[in-house]
Amino acid sequence: MSDPVLRTENLTKRFGGLTATDNLSLSLRGGRLQAVIGPNGAGKTTFFNLISGLLKPDSGRVFFRDRDITGLRPHEISRLGIKRTMQIKSVFNQISVMENLWITRQASQRFLHPFRPASRDRATRERVEQVLEQIGMTALAHRIAGTLSYGDVAMLEIGMALISEPKLLLLDEPICGMSPAETERAVAKIRELARQVDIVIIEHDMEVVFGLADDITVLAQGAILATGSPEEISNHERVREAYLGRPEDEDYLEEAADA
Amino acid sequence: MIVFAAFLLTVPWTIPALINDFWVSVIAEILIWSLFAASTNLLFGYVGLLSFGQALFFGFGMYGVGIGIDQLGLSFWPAFGLGVAAAMAMALVSGIFAVRLTWHYFAIITVVFSLIFYFLAVSMKWLTGGDDGINFTLPPTFSFGATQWSFADPNFQYFFILAAVALCFYLMHLVIGSPLGKAFMAVRENDVRASLIGLNVYLLRLTAFVMAGFLAGVAGALFAFFGRYASATYMFYHVSGEGLVWTIVGGAGTLFGPIVGTTLFIIIREVVSTHWEHHSLIVGTMAILVVIFAPKGLVGLWRDILDRAMAPRAERAVSTEVRTEP
Ligand SMILES: Nc1ncnc2c1ncn2[C@@H]1O[C@H](COP(=O)(O)OP(=O)(O)OP(=O)(O)O)[C@@H](O)[C@H]1O
Ligand SMILES: [Mg+2]
């Protein structure tokens, strides 16, 4: 259990003159809910993009359960069981909630049958209904995804990430834009999921982070500022200085919502 | 739907009785060009790729048949097969490069491929007949002993084309509803998300491109038999553009949209062009009007009207139910 589920070695990504992740070497243990925090522009999303294959690092390596996945393409990484949600919510907008889940489930099959009706797949139907129930969206099953509220889209994205029995879930600000009630539901869901699957969560809401996380990694300017348990982090001198102790903590949430 | 199918099955008798023989071959031509438009639709309407290159594969279907019969001495079916295989092979080769790109880059590279092969076809006189194209004598389609069926018989020609086009549309219907077709739509909707759920976007686009090459190739091969010739004119990207207009006006992303659009424009062409040489003005105006006022094409418009006609009734049903509650 204490083997790292995810490990990076000297991961560097530059955008022109800007170094988004700077020689980042970190190791996230499995079986614990891992949170990554840090101010805007710290390189958190870039870190996720490098793991999930949407970006290629300029140098450095990524290991998933000791397997080198550097340079694999997004669909190959997805098929290894690493699923993610996006900071800017990303679903299939013009089709229904149910079809979103349906396609996502069938996408995990190696062979996509070209002639048999997709709807005839009973195993998929059952799994889709199960996930609809889990994310509490059964009543919205036939709504077109593009017409959902922001919080519901976020919830659908979580459903899509978990429908194919992932091994590692990367959640990029999953509750951003949710109402307090939705947040509560999503947090409960994430806590429940964490018992079955390794999760790394990026989140700005400190209440949520400190309530959920077993381990916290703090990034600033593309590098690790600190790692440790929630208590260690909240007592950490430099973290407090750089980040937590800011009097305008509330403003911070708004900034995150605007981002 | 059923009425439409029944109509198509009786065309060789009803049309000569109602108008004249000429319109039977116009309808056969509409069927062929509908299939051509369907190939554009598969790419644009279902995978989100705007191709101006479908005429290239149509042309390869034509030349496969023409060269097969005229130079290789093939009979009907091998020539047909050669045309379709040539179109698919060309789609595979050009697709390997083209589908790496999207949006206008993709559109541009498909035009470039079309132009290259158009000029090659015009200049390689020994193979393609250059500007004159290839005229060939029709081989029989089936022969059992002394009895033969060939495209020389207009009824046979019509029904053969109808059967081939119907079969292709049926295949397309199956693909659209299959897991593969759903994956195509996922790529159209959001290619980043598609890759993150484990879909190989490049391979899916390439698969669709080759499938579309198949549809265009069958259309081209049928058109070669229908006209008894093959010519580079049909390979020009302008022809691809027409297919695109028919698709968009009829309704991209719907199975029957290309048939509706193609039928409309070919009938306009046939009726108007005999009286007025600027019939393309009508075509252009209509295309612009549809794009502005019915972005989902005529089929989409029709569906919206149906939905709206149904909706108030459904609401009324609900309200009466409410009222009957004690
Ligand atoms: N595709 C890109 N091209 C250019 N610059 C980028 C790109 N993606 C990110 N950046 C830059 O890299 C830096 C890190 O961005 P990143 O999105 O990883 O930050 P983050 O920690 O997720 O911030 P936030 O909390 O605002 O989401 C930022 O300065 C950002 O502007
Ligand atoms: Mg971010």
Side-chain angles (χ1 to χ4, degrees), chain A residues 52-112:
Chain A
S52 56
L54 289 183
L55 289 175
K56 301 227 181 308
D58 295 316
S59 62
R61 312 218 70 84
V62 181
F63 298 89
F64 169 55
R65 294 185 172 175
D66 282 332
R67 183 184 165 157
D68 189 345
I69 60 166
T70 323
L72 292 185
R73 288 186 294 162
H75 71 268
E76 294 169 321
I77 291 171
S78 169
R79 287 185 174 181
L80 293 175
I82 303 180
K83 307 286 172 178
R84 72 172 284 190
T85 65
M86 304 286 274
Q87 180 170 354
I88 295 168
K89 301 304 163 226
S90 164
V91 299
F92 305 116
N93 276 328
Q94 302 200 37
I95 55 180
S96 71
V97 168
M98 187 174 209
E99 285 175 301
N100 266 275
L101 292 169
W102 199 291
I103 288 178
T104 307
R105 177 67 180 178
Q106 288 193 328
S108 58
Q109 296 165 358
R110 279 241 148 246
F111 175 68
L112 295 165

Side-chain angles (χ1 to χ4, degrees), chain A residues 15 18 20 38-47 87 173 204 259:
Chain A
F15 298 109
L18 183 122
N40 290 107
K44 306 179 295 294
T45 299
T46 303
F47 172 63
Q87 180 170 354
E173 303 193 22
H204 279 306

Side-chain angles (χ1 to χ4, degrees), chain B residues 27 35 42 51 82 99 110 126 154 161 173 178 193-194 222 226 237 240 250 260 262 267 298 302-303:
Chain B
I27 292 173
L35 185 57
L42 178 62
S51 170
L82 180 65
V99 302
T110 57
W126 55 274
I161 291 171
H173 162 75
S178 75
R193 175 44 74 195
L222 288 174
F226 177 76
Y237 71 90
S240 306
V260 173
T262 308
I267 289 178
L298 294 175
W302 174 243
R303 283 194 189 150

